Amino acid sequence: MKRIPLAYWFLLPAAVSIILFYVLPVILTFVFSFTSMASDTGIYGNHYVYSKNAIRALEKSTLNRDIFKKIIERKYVFDSESLKIISQSKIEKKTQTEIEETLPGTVYSTEKALFEALDKLKNKPRSFRDKKIISRATIRSLNGEEFIEISEMRVAFEKLQIEVGEEDFDLITEVTNTSWHWTTKNYREVFSNPDSWRIFKNTGLYVTLTLGLFNVGCALIIALLTFYMSLGQSKFFRSLWLIPRISPSVLYVLLWRDLMDHSGFISYVMGYFGVAPTNWMGEFPWVTIIVINGFVGASMGMIIFSSAMQAIPKSLLYAASVDGAYMWQQIRRIILPQIRWPILFIASYQTLSLLTSFEYIQLSTDGGPARDTEVWALHAFHTALSNYWGNLRYGFGATLSVVLVVIGIIASITYLKLFKFQVLLQEPPIEN
Amino acid sequence: MKIILKKFSKNFGQVEVIKDMDLEIESGEMVALLGPSGCGKTTTLFAICGIHNITSGQILFGDRVINNVPTQERNVGVVFQNYALYPHLTIYENIAFPLRIRKMEKSEIDQLVQEYSEMVGISNLLSRRPMHLSGGQQQRVALVRALIRKPNVLLMDEPLANLDAALRLRMRSEIRRIQQETGITAILVTHDQVEAMSMSDRIAIMNDGKIQQISTPTEMYSDPKNTFVAGFIGNPPISFYNGVLQKNYFVGTAMKFELSEATLSNGIQEEQKLEIGVRPEYVHPNFGDEVEGKILFIEPQGRETLYDIELDDGQVIRSIQMGSQQYQMGERIQWGMDHKNILVFDENGENIFSKLYGTSPKL
Ligand SMILES: Nc1ncnc2c1ncn2[C@@H]1O[C@H](COP(=O)(O)OP(=O)(O)OP(=O)(O)O)[C@@H](O)[C@H]1O
Ligand SMILES: [Mg+2]
């Protein structure tokens, strides 16, 4: 047997974690995107629910009409379960005993029939309230019922004295089965839903503006400014810009919320200019999410750009000044071309991270108002994991994520083409 | 454009690199700056072109003090020690860079780049990038980039260090020709004294941030101001020998001879410590017999042969003689020195009115 080199064993933990935490989730997301999984289907499947939808479907089906009627009918049944509930109620003991002796096994199809039967008892219930208690204890209906196993459903049918042939039973189980199934409907929905387009445009705007104004733009400007500053000053400014990055995101956003509140700092300052106190975050949701994300994102670009600029041989800048280039020309003709690769790196890295991260938006505007600042990743999150209307659609959320992954890949390829990556990778000669 | 440095000093933080340097370079003159590594040559050039602010003193171009004139406006061409070519630009764009900054016409740029690149034989490399050029090729690009915008002053930091012998010879005369044709004032930093002597009008020798001596190559050789200059100039190098003055004689433990009038008439005292410098061509069997010892080392150089002679007190004196090897290693010999051509230095290493008269050795 060929021996596996030791190095591979050292790589094993890393490989395992990469597969577990990076590759597997992507594959699973892709798989889930082709399912109809949602909170009402569960992930494990095989629930049988007599929901409104299911009953409507049964009505339209070829199911025997009598059986259908029986299914939707209410029934009042005296079985061990109902007797147990009655025995624990406050109904008189005499009445209870008589019910236990005479009624077990009987089934009534209306409340009226039930009440008549009760009235015939020697120790009939004394009040309408007692009758109601018995009614509630004995009522049985499939409407709204939920079964986990087919066998449970059979038992229920027996109790309700519904006789069903195998064929009809299969039909019923098929219609009431709410478990998830394989489908491409999610993808069709992504492309046909008018919301998608709106959110797509939101995302484009958000990524472009945050990236251009802050993550690259602002980062570049600070890096350039500090490049021409003395060492102490530049260190101070750079550390200042790092604060948002190292503060916990919840605290950071809370701080912004306070700042932009009615009674916050911005309202306070603007008060001096005669502006009425305003909820700035609600008033300018777009400015909010771009600034909040930008302040955090700019620090990374700044650090990368600064160190890339430090790495430019000083003699190149000397040569440029000797050749007559002033600061602006040096920046344009020497510094920027020299740090092209870091810029590409930051642009593509930040594009991807802006596309996929949404925590600051979630914490500040949560996509609002009126889903105005809803971006794709947040949309996926809302769809699959957290929303107000209750049904969490895991499958559709996964589809949204897959679309995001595809967009990310397209963006990366575009960047590589744009920056002529091939040229950057040209082989240098031996000496250098 | 005349360049004048007046009491120019440069510190890097606590480190004093240049101390009160005075230097005057005539318009159209080419001066070679020669000195050991780390003595401050590059620092001096950087101060002249304005890359470094100077700590104190004055720098003048003509009669204008340019201490506060920014680099961009000094119109100085610089060939950097490490070439400093722009790695992201093609050779063409590297050479055209200063012209582009000056917003020159495209056609004019094209013509100039062609003309200058042909001059140094790199016109076939214009489309490449610096990292795909050999060291020598890069050096020529750097030279052309410095020259193309016709600067008033040209500063070259070891511009020929990476060239092969043949190309170096050609470039020497090429640079010198361009410099003389354009009448540009130039400073050439070099480690190679042959280069310094053959290319420049005057040589300035630097050590420890000070100019030791500035003069013509011949004078530098025959009348060095101190032991440093004497030792730095001349190949094979001069040999030194320690002794004292007794009566009119220089007396060492293994040697004794009478000193010249010029030296003696300058107030040196009895028993003063002295150091003599003897250039190898003035040590020869025909000169006498005060150099007595055994041959320690022989270095045949083809046309000449170099002998290191260990005197009986352990000090070494070098001799160079025409022709192939005549003596054997370890052989005891008794040679002499040409007394007229011996340099005498005091205990601080300063020359005491001695110089070489250049009378041809009796070979
Ligand atoms: N930026 C700096 N900070 C501190 N010391 C410096 C700096 N630049 C140069 N020096 C010191 O100044 C001295 C002179 O440096 P310089 O580069 O001028 O030497 P050089 O004569 O050009 O040497 P070489 O022949 O090796 O190029 C050196 O001792 C060097 O260490
Ligand atoms: Mg140097």
Side-chain angles (χ1 to χ4, degrees):
Chain A
M1 201 183 85
K2 232 179 100 183
R3 281 189 54 183
I4 301 168
L6 190 62
Y8 287 106
W9 290 109
F10 283 114
L11 284 177
L12 196 64
V16 168
S17 2
I18 285 174
I19 288 169
L20 268 183
F21 299 121
Y22 292 87
V23 180
L24 210 58
V26 174
I27 292 173
L28 285 180
T29 307
F30 191 70
V31 170
F32 288 150
S33 76
F34 286 99
T35 70
S36 65
M37 280 185 199
S39 50
D40 60 3
T41 68
I43 306 177
Y44 306 106
N46 289 345
H47 274 233
Y48 303 91
V49 179
Y50 287 83
S51 61
K52 273 186 196 135
N53 285 342
I55 289 183
R56 216 172 292 141
L58 283 176
E59 190 178 5
K60 283 182 199 150
S61 74
T62 57
L63 185 67
N64 184 315
R65 287 300 97 180
D66 288 341
I67 296 174
F68 176 68
K69 259 185 215 148
K70 282 184 180 167
I71 286 175
I72 60 169
E73 254 169 16
R74 297 161 161 226
K75 281 180 186 155
Y76 299 86
V77 181
F78 286 92
D79 55 11
S80 55
E81 237 172 276
S82 36
L83 291 176
K84 197 174 163 202
I85 296 172
I86 291 167
S87 70
Q88 285 164 357
S89 69
K90 290 173 184 165
I91 298 171
E92 272 182 293
K93 271 282 169 279
K94 297 186 286 181
T95 317
Q96 281 190 22
T97 344
E98 192 175 357
I99 288 174
E100 272 165 34
E101 280 163 7
T102 58
L103 292 181
T106 55
V107 174
Y108 304 91
S109 49
T110 62
E111 199 173 40
K112 205 177 151 206
L114 170 71
F115 286 177
E116 279 167 8
L118 290 176
D119 284 339
K120 282 178 195 153
L121 295 175
K122 280 179 215 148
N123 303 303
K124 62 177 182 181
R126 291 208 306 195
S127 64
F128 182 70
R129 209 175 127 257
D130 286 350
K131 281 189 207 168
K132 232 10 190 179
I133 290 175
I134 295 167
S135 148
R136 240 172 273 144
T138 54
I139 189 168
R140 293 286 179 277
S141 168
L142 285 174
N143 205 335
E145 277 301 307
E146 184 173 341
F147 303 97
I148 291 173
E149 299 288 342
I150 292 187
S151 54
E152 283 176 31
M153 199 150 87
R154 280 191 198 282
V155 172
F157 271 59
E158 262 167 41
K159 272 189 198 163
L160 292 172
Q161 297 176 344
I162 306 173
E163 272 163 42
V164 190
E166 271 316 298
E167 215 171 294
D168 280 339
F169 191 76
D170 284 347
L171 181 69
I172 293 167
T173 48
E174 195 194 313
V175 171
T176 55
N177 187 349
T178 60
S179 71
W180 58 268
H181 50 95
W182 299 103
T183 175
T184 55
K185 203 179 122 244
N186 293 334
Y187 284 92
R188 270 177 279 132
E189 188 177 340
V190 169
F191 291 108
S192 61
N193 193 342
D195 258 6
S196 304
W197 180 235
R198 196 167 70 103
I199 292 166
F200 181 80
K201 278 197 290 193
N202 280 353
T203 312
L205 196 66
Y206 159 69
V207 171
T208 319
L209 287 181
T210 314
L211 191 73
L213 294 179
F214 284 93
N215 292 5
V216 173
C218 190
L220 207 56
I221 289 169
I222 304 167
L224 281 169
L225 284 180
T226 52
F227 181 68
Y228 283 99
M229 271 180 195
S230 78
L231 198 66
Q233 284 171 317
S234 60
K235 264 189 189 157
F236 173 74
F237 273 101
R238 282 183 212 153
S239 334
L240 212 62
W241 274 88
L242 274 178
I243 294 173
R245 170 103 272 171
I246 54 175
S247 51
S249 30
V250 177
L251 277 187
Y252 171 70
V253 176
L254 276 182
L255 196 82
W256 273 102
R257 287 197 140 171
D258 275 357
L259 278 179
M260 302 180 84
D261 208 355
H262 270 111
S263 51
F265 180 73
I266 296 178
S267 289
Y268 178 75
V269 170
M270 293 308 277
Y272 285 105
F273 301 98
V275 181
T278 311
N279 177 8
W280 297 95
M281 196 173 269
E283 204 71 19
F284 301 100
W286 274 97
V287 177
T288 305
I289 62 168
I290 289 170
V291 168
I292 289 184
N293 274 284
F295 271 57
V296 173
S299 57
M300 168 158 174
M302 175 197 73
I303 288 179
I304 302 273
F305 296 155
S306 297
S307 41
M309 285 178 200
Q310 298 299 333
I312 299 175
K314 281 281 171 297
S315 60
L316 291 188
L317 297 177
Y318 294 160
S321 6
V322 164
D323 284 341
Y326 286 96
M327 193 166 111
W328 171 240
Q329 287 162 315
Q330 289 178 21
I331 291 172
R332 196 167 72 82
R333 290 174 181 271
I334 311 288
I335 296 181
L336 290 184
Q338 289 279 319
I339 62 169
R340 203 166 57 157
W341 168 234
I343 292 177
L344 163 67
F345 166 71
I346 287 296
S348 44
Y349 180 90
Q350 296 282 32
T351 302
L352 297 185
S353 85
L354 283 172
L355 275 177
T356 52
S357 78
F358 55 83
E359 73 263 34
Y360 292 104
I361 302 183
Q362 198 217 348
L363 289 168
S364 54
T365 65
D366 197 19
R371 307 236 285 157
D372 245 5
T373 52
E374 181 97 342
V375 295
W376 201 273
L378 188 58
H379 180 43
F381 172 72
H382 280 155
T383 306
L385 298 171
S386 157
N387 61 36
Y388 309 117
W389 49 93
N391 191 16
L392 304 176
R393 302 178 60 195
Y394 311 131
F396 189 52
T399 310
L400 291 174
S401 307
V402 168
V403 171
L404 205 56
V405 169
V406 172
I407 291 174
I409 291 172
I410 292 173
S412 314
I413 292 172
T414 315
Y415 277 121
L416 293 183
K417 284 259 154 27
L418 215 64
F419 280 80
K420 300 206 187 81
F421 190 56
Q422 293 306 320
V423 178
L424 287 171
L425 286 185
Q426 255 178 25
E427 192 178 343
I430 322 145
E431 295 166 49
N432 303 322
Chain B
M1 181 81 64
K2 190 169 172 174
I3 305 171
I4 304 167
L5 304 185
K6 276 188 191 161
K7 290 214 168 303
F8 147 57
S9 301
K10 175 68 192 172
N11 303 350
F12 289 109
Q14 298 295 315
V15 191
E16 202 168 55
V17 175
I18 309 279
K19 177 77 186 150
D20 287 339
M21 180 194 281
D22 287 306
L23 182 64
E24 226 171 278
I25 298 170
E26 297 300 328
S27 185
E29 192 186 22
M30 175 117 129
V31 167
L33 204 52
L34 204 57
S37 186
C39 71
K41 306 183 292 294
T42 303
T43 308
T44 308
L45 291 197
F46 278 14
I48 293 173
C49 67
I51 290 170
H52 290 335
N53 289 324
I54 67 177
T55 308
S56 64
Q58 279 186 332
I59 300 181
L60 293 88
F61 281 3
D63 40 21
R64 180 170 173 223
V65 178
I66 52 142
N67 285 16
N68 296 320
V69 176
T71 308
Q72 289 86 346
E73 285 162 30
R74 292 193 188 184
N75 197 19
V76 178
V78 181
V79 179
F80 288 86
Q81 195 163 6
N82 59 358
Y83 330 129
L85 300 181
Y86 309 120
H88 56 287
L89 298 178
T90 60
I91 298 308
Y92 182 99
E93 285 304 323
N94 262 281
I95 298 174
F97 188 89
L99 307 180
R100 289 233 192 281
I101 294 289
R102 279 168 186 69
K103 305 217 160 40
M104 199 182 257
E105 286 286 324
K106 282 215 160 51
S107 57
E108 217 174 328
I109 292 180
D110 210 48
Q111 194 192 330
L112 276 173
V113 171
Q114 286 303 337
E115 182 187 322
Y116 274 78
S117 57
E118 262 161 42
M119 186 171 74
V120 294
I122 51 167
S123 49
N124 55 333
L125 307 174
L126 291 179
S127 60
R128 294 205 207 163
R129 269 168 216 280
M131 70 171 171
H132 295 140
L133 257 54
S134 74
Q137 290 165 333
Q138 293 186 31
Q139 217 149 32
R140 281 179 279 164
V141 176
L143 183 67
V144 170
R145 184 182 62 180
L147 284 172
I148 196 160
R149 69 204 152 90
K150 307 195 167 65
N152 294 334
V153 170
L154 178 64
L155 308 176
M156 292 170 281
D157 206 343
E158 307 195 33
L160 307 179
N162 267 315
L163 306 186
D164 65 61
L167 190 58
R168 186 179 307 197
L169 272 179
R170 222 185 71 211
M171 290 296 292
R172 265 187 210 162
S173 48
E174 194 67 25
I175 293 177
R176 182 64 163 152
R177 185 184 61 76
I178 295 168
Q179 185 263 329
Q180 281 174 332
E181 266 174 22
T182 53
I184 197 170
T185 312
I187 301 181
L188 168 81
V189 166
T190 173
H191 280 293
D192 180 348
Q193 40 180 300
V194 182
E195 193 173 293
M197 292 183 188
S198 63
M199 282 176 76
S200 56
D201 298 302
R202 284 190 299 159
I203 298 176
I205 298 225
M206 259 185 98
N207 190 30
D208 276 345
K210 284 196 196 68
I211 299 273
Q212 303 290 328
Q213 184 169 0
I214 174 160
S215 55
T216 61
T218 328
E219 194 179 301
M220 194 75 82
Y221 187 78
S222 58
D223 191 7
K225 258 172 101 174
N226 53 35
T227 46
F228 178 81
V229 177
F232 201 79
I233 293 281
N235 191 23
I238 197 166
S239 24
F240 293 106
Y241 184 78
N242 291 310
V244 292
L245 181 74
Q246 283 179 356
K247 303 255 172 59
N248 289 344
Y249 282 82
F250 170 86
V251 181
T253 35
M255 184 200 304
K256 175 177 174 178
F257 65 92
E258 196 172 2
L259 288 170
S260 73
E261 282 296 323
T263 308
L264 288 173
S265 61
N266 275 284
I268 43 173
Q269 281 141 32
E270 201 57 16
E271 291 298 329
Q272 180 175 339
K273 279 192 184 142
L274 294 177
E275 189 171 9
I276 57 162
V278 200
R279 296 219 179 265
E281 61 266 34
Y282 299 113
V283 181
H284 195 268
N286 297 355
F287 283 132
D289 57 6
E290 64 278 305
V291 182
E292 192 182 349
K294 70 174 198 286
I295 297 180
L296 187 68
F297 184 71
I298 302 173
E299 192 180 317
Q301 294 187 338
R303 190 151 43 97
E304 292 127 359
T305 307
L306 198 65
Y307 301 96
D308 280 0
I309 307 138
E310 187 180 25
L311 303 189
D312 293 337
D313 60 356
Q315 300 194 60
V316 174
I317 287 197
R318 195 166 295 130
S319 164
I320 190 164
Q321 295 171 26
M322 289 300 284
S324 56
Q325 184 181 340
Q326 302 286 324
Y327 303 89
Q328 296 310 312
M329 200 91 118
E331 191 175 335
R332 261 199 95 75
I333 46 89
Q334 199 166 19
W335 293 344
M337 302 182 296
D338 184 357
H339 294 184
K340 284 211 291 301
N341 288 312
I342 285 176
L343 301 169
V344 185
F345 303 94
D346 66 18
E347 51 198 324
N348 300 322
E350 297 296 320
N351 191 342
I352 315 172
F353 289 85
S354 63
K355 66 181 198 180
L356 309 181
Y357 293 91
T359 38
S360 57
K362 301 171 224 157
L363 296 175

